């Protein structure tokens, strides 16, 4: 009996010890939470009783060179529902489905979803949002927002780009300068009950949004319009696949216009700009959309053909392997190793000087000139003119050139490259190289961005770009300007001639790969005034139907453009007197 009492006493003692230890542990834990974690749990409790809703920042405006708005913002609203605050779910479903043009099933899924807040639709016109607000539906939230709006719709669409539903840039300048344009969103903090119901008349904490900065461009709306009109005209007349046109200032790289015709509507960027008569899968439609958004002026490479003779002639003058008075013979072809490479004039040009060879765009002349320069020196000049690197333009998606490795360049490769075959570059790369040839020898960086200004008009940043001077000599540049002016005045580029203006340029007709497919790119590169270039432009007509020679169909496009743009830029006509001198009038 005594033994049992001793055993029970031990058990009781053990139990009391356990209870005491547990009590002390709980008290210690409670003290820890109350003393050391009080701030942490206070914040958590506050968060439970607060709901955060974003206030969208207004995106910065994009302006052209004249201060004309190219991209701005349209006030819109975002419609959301808070499940815990909805009092009449069926009424909410019915009204939102009707007013927003959504199916009842779609709205029901979101209304009945148990979550802190559920978005029904964004980018709702303010007028429609105000109509919904008048219903005074419990649990329906209407927040102010902004939608990107493009006043000119299709103008320079592949350059400007567009934004997504979150107002972030997707392509073009919108994505390149997103960090300046985006701004900083604000927030609204509202108090709620433990069940998540907002407390009416409770004070709100509000963090105001910061508007994005404005972007000013070198692109000129009027020059862009002239360029698009010229591109559209030849696109329709020649039933072309597409037309690309770039116009810039060859002295500093500021781009006045960049056309990829046909363009697309920036306010409706997910609608194809061509009619499709078949049902497309999502993958097929996405591929077509990506092609529609593609900026071919910077993303597509091509064999430039005879416009590349500008580079070959420049290299020859730089290496001093040719004089203007040198004579050549063109029987209509040239034998290089085991290849017979023809001239575009199959009957041949006969005996001609170097100047006449450029005016006639004679392939045998340039094959001979290329051989004199040699592969190593040719590549040295390609590099100086920037043909082995991207131009550095401030638009995403730029491609680089495709060339033979120097060790693989034999006589045939050198011959064909000398007149623009066997090397692929972008239109912009050629324009940058040609700019250095005519501006005195400075390789510029082509660009659109000029400056960043805050929403309240304060100067933020001047955008600067790299230049490399003396890539060729001024003597070579002056000679090339004279030669290219003679191409328009007396040679194959005569259809770019404008009475009263000094125009320089070069024609090209490039056969697309595979050879003998009868598909061509007709092009022309021109500049004015020839003695002091202020504008340089290139046009490419892809797969024209019928006559396809660059001198016949591409040169008039630049003439059409310059006839409008030169007077607009204040470039005065120059008249030739009887003594041959030019006088400014």
């Amino acid at each position: 009996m005594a033994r049992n009492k001793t055993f029970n006493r031990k058990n009781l003692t053990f139990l009391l010890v356990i209870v005491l230890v547990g009590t002390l542990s709980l008290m210690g834990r409670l003290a820890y939470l109350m003393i050391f974690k009080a701030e942490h749990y206070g914040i958590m409790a506050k968060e439970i009783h607060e709901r955060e809703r974003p206030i969208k920042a207004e995106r910065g405006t994009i302006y052209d060179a004249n201060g004309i708005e190219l991209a701005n913002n349209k006030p819109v609203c975002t419609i959301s529902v808070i499940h815990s605050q909805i009092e009449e779910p069926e009424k909410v479903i019915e009204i939102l489905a009707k007013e927003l043009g959504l199916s009842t099933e779609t709205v029901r899924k979101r209304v009945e979803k148990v979550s802190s807040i559920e978005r029904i639709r964004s980018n709702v016109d303010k007028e429609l949002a105000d109509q919904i607000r008048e219903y005074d539906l419990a649990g329906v939230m209407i927040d102010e927002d902004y939608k990107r709006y493009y006043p000119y719709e299709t103008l320079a669409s592949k350059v400007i780009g567009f934004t997504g539903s979150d107002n972030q840039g997707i392509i073009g300048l919108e994505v390149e300068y997103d960090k300046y344009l985006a701004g900083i969103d604000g927030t609204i903090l509202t108090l709620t009950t433990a069940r998540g119901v907002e407390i009416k008349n409770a004070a709100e904490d509000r963090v105001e949004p910061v508007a994005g900065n404005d972007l000013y461009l070198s692109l000129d709306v009027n020059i862009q319009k002239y360029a698009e009109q010229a591109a559209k005209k030849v696109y329709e007349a020649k039933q072309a696949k597409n037309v690309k046109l770039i116009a810039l200032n060859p002295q500093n790289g500021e781009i006045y216009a960049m056309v990829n015709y046909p363009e697309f509507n920036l306010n409706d960027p997910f609608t194809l700009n061509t009619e499709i008569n078949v049902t497309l899968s999502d993958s097929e439609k996405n591929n077509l959309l990506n092609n529609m958004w593609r900026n071919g002026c910077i993303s597509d490479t091509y064999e430039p053909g005879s416009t590349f003779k500008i580079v070959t002639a420049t290299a020859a003058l730089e290496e001093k392997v040719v004089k203007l008075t040198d004579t050549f013979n063109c029987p209509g072809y040239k034998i290089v190793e085991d290849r017979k490479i023809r001239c575009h004039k199959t009957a041949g040009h006969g005996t001609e000087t170097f100047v006449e060879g450029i005016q006639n765009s004679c392939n045998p002349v340039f094959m001979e000139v290329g051989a004199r320069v040699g592969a190593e020196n040719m590549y040295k000049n390609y590099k100086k003119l920037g043909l082995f690197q991207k131009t550095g333009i401030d638009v995403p998606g730029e491609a680089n050139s495709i060339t033979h490795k120097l060790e693989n360049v034999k006589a045939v490769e050198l011959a064909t490259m000398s007149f623009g075959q066997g090397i692929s570059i972008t239109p912009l790369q050629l324009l940058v190289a040609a700019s250095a040839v005519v501006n005195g020898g400075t390789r510029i960086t082509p660009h659109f961005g000029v400056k960043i200004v805050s929403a309240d008009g304060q100067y933020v940043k001047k955008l600067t770009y790299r230049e490399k001077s003396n890539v060729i000599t001024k003597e070579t540049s002056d000679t090339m300007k004279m030669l290219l002016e003679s191409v328009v005045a007396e040679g194959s580029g005569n259809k770019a001639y404008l009475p009263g203006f000094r125009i320089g340029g070069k024609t090209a007709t490039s056969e697309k790969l595979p050879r003998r497919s009868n598909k061509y790119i007709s092009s022309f590169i021109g500049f004015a005034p020839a003695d002091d270039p202020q504008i340089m432009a290139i046009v490419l007509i892809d797969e024209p139907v019928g006559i396809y020679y660059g001198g016949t169909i591409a040169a008039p496009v630049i003439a059409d453009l310059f006839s409008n743009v030169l007077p607009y830029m204040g470039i005065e006509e120059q008249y030739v007197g009887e003594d041959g001198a030019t006088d400014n009038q």
Side-chain angles (χ1 to χ4, degrees), residues 101-132:
L102 298 171
S103 69
T104 302
E105 293 75 15
T106 299
V107 178
R108 183 178 298 279
K109 283 181 182 178
R110 294 172 185 172
V111 169
E112 294 180 348
K113 185 176 180 181
V114 180
S115 63
S116 60
I117 189 166
E118 193 71 20
R119 181 182 297 177
I120 302 296
R121 170 167 278 185
S122 57
N123 293 331
V124 177
D125 286 342
K126 195 172 185 305
E127 296 78 9
L128 177 56
D130 288 340
Q131 290 178 29
I132 295 173

Side-chain angles (χ1 to χ4, degrees), residues 2-18:
R3 183 182 174 194
N4 288 338
K5 287 182 179 180
T6 303
F7 179 77
N8 290 335
R9 192 179 295 115
K10 288 181 177 179
N11 287 341
L12 184 59
T13 303
F14 180 71
L15 183 60
L16 287 172
V17 170
I18 291 176

Side-chain angles (χ1 to χ4, degrees), residues 216-233:
Y216 285 78
L217 306 178
S218 60
L219 187 141
D220 187 305
V221 162
N222 296 308
I223 297 178
Q224 180 74 24
K225 284 182 177 179
Y226 290 138
E228 289 190 8
Q229 289 168 4
K232 180 182 179 182
K233 183 177 176 181

